Amino acid sequence: MALKATPNDQRRLLTLQEADTLIVRLQGKLKSLPQTQRIDELDTELSVLDRAVLERLGAHDDATAGVARIESDVQVVRARLQRNRDRLPTITDAKTATATEHENETLERRQGILEDLELEAMQQQEDAATALAEARREAETARAERDRLAAERELAAGDLEQQLQAARAERGERAAEVPTDLLALYDRQRERYGIGATLLQRRTSVASGVELTAAELYEIRQAADEDVLLDPNSSAILVRTDESGI
């Protein structure tokens, strides 16, 4: 390669790679905090539970409206019946009195039916209230767990963000020590392949874990110390040191 850099500058890339590796690891931890999966599950559960609360609230409102409607009908019948009973002693016409008595019998039967329906409606209202309360308890329990986990995640994320900020600052300091052209190559290889520089250790690339072939090692031995070489396996800049075994 045409690019050249002192062995010392090339070795600086290893410490830069350490900083970048740490940054990537911290970013990965931020994305995969242990609370996140459970929070996502709870978000799904809460969408179902909240919908159940709304449905049961609607059922309770319907039951309450049903009770009110029947109570209104009962009050109408009772009022009509009471008026007839109050009026009956004053009626002098036999035919009218008989008709009024027949109407009262009908109203009494109607009142009995409505009162039975009222009891059923009140039971439905009570059942609906119990179901609504249970749905709300389930939603509140899930929401409380989510809030607790969210607080834990926020705390953990805050700690990781501090570490990440420190790692980025360290990375900036290390990058400032690397020549511009060498840093540009490093950043380009890291962006393309995930790793910018790797140590050749005992004839093996640390990045790929693959031992170089005899032909590859021969070419490396022929290169000058200032030549910037690329690892044939990982495409990262191959840094040679006394550990390289060449």
Side-chain angles (χ1 to χ4, degrees), residues 161-195:
E161 286 288 0
Q162 289 182 351
Q163 295 181 48
L164 188 56
Q165 184 177 359
R168 284 171 174 160
E170 178 69 19
R171 198 267 183 196
E173 293 176 1
R174 295 181 182 183
E177 298 175 347
V178 179
T180 303
D181 52 355
L182 181 61
L183 179 62
L185 176 62
Y186 167 87
D187 285 337
R188 184 166 62 249
Q189 298 306 104
R190 185 172 62 86
E191 183 177 351
R192 289 178 178 176
Y193 306 107
I195 298 178

Side-chain angles (χ1 to χ4, degrees), residues 75-195:
Q75 292 301 321
V76 169
V77 170
R78 285 175 179 170
R80 176 72 177 180
L81 186 57
Q82 188 61 46
R83 283 197 301 270
N84 284 354
R85 288 170 177 170
D86 293 342
R87 178 170 167 264
L88 190 59
T90 66
I91 298 175
T92 58
D93 181 69
K95 184 176 181 180
T96 301
T98 300
T100 301
E101 290 175 349
H102 286 164
E103 183 182 8
N104 285 352
E105 292 174 359
T106 300
L107 289 171
E108 288 170 355
R109 287 195 297 273
R110 176 61 177 164
Q111 179 179 337
I113 292 172
L114 287 173
E115 288 175 345
D116 288 341
L117 291 174
E118 183 180 20
L119 289 175
E120 293 178 6
M122 291 175 68
Q123 182 61 53
Q124 291 174 358
Q125 182 188 35
E126 183 179 344
D127 292 343
T130 300
L132 175 59
E134 178 61 25
R136 282 174 169 163
R137 277 194 297 272
E138 291 178 0
E140 288 170 0
T141 298
R143 187 162 283 106
E145 181 182 0
R146 190 201 184 284
D147 290 344
R148 177 181 61 79
L149 290 172
E152 290 180 2
R153 182 174 64 178
E154 184 176 358
L155 185 62
D159 180 59
L160 287 172
E161 286 288 0
Q162 289 182 351
Q163 295 181 48
L164 188 56
Q165 184 177 359
R168 284 171 174 160
E170 178 69 19
R171 198 267 183 196
E173 293 176 1
R174 295 181 182 183
E177 298 175 347
V178 179
T180 303
D181 52 355
L182 181 61
L183 179 62
L185 176 62
Y186 167 87
D187 285 337
R188 184 166 62 249
Q189 298 306 104
R190 185 172 62 86
E191 183 177 351
R192 289 178 178 176
Y193 306 107
I195 298 178

Side-chain angles (χ1 to χ4, degrees), residues 1-5 10 181-182 185 188 224 226-230:
M1 291 183 61
L3 183 62
K4 292 182 179 295
Q10 292 187 48
D181 52 355
L182 181 61
L185 176 62
R188 184 166 62 249
E226 291 77 14
D227 289 340
V228 177
L229 308 177
L230 295 182

Side-chain angles (χ1 to χ4, degrees), residues 13-55:
L13 295 179
L14 296 177
T15 61
L16 182 59
Q17 181 62 68
E18 288 177 358
D20 283 328
T21 299
L22 176 58
I23 289 171
V24 170
R25 185 164 65 249
L26 290 172
Q27 289 173 332
K29 287 184 177 181
L30 271 172
K31 292 180 180 178
S32 59
L33 286 168
Q35 298 87 353
T36 298
Q37 181 178 351
R38 180 55 182 159
I39 287 175
D40 291 341
E41 293 173 355
L42 286 168
D43 284 338
T44 301
E45 290 179 21
L46 280 168
S47 66
V48 175
L49 293 173
D50 288 341
R51 186 164 56 250
V53 169
L54 289 176
E55 290 173 353

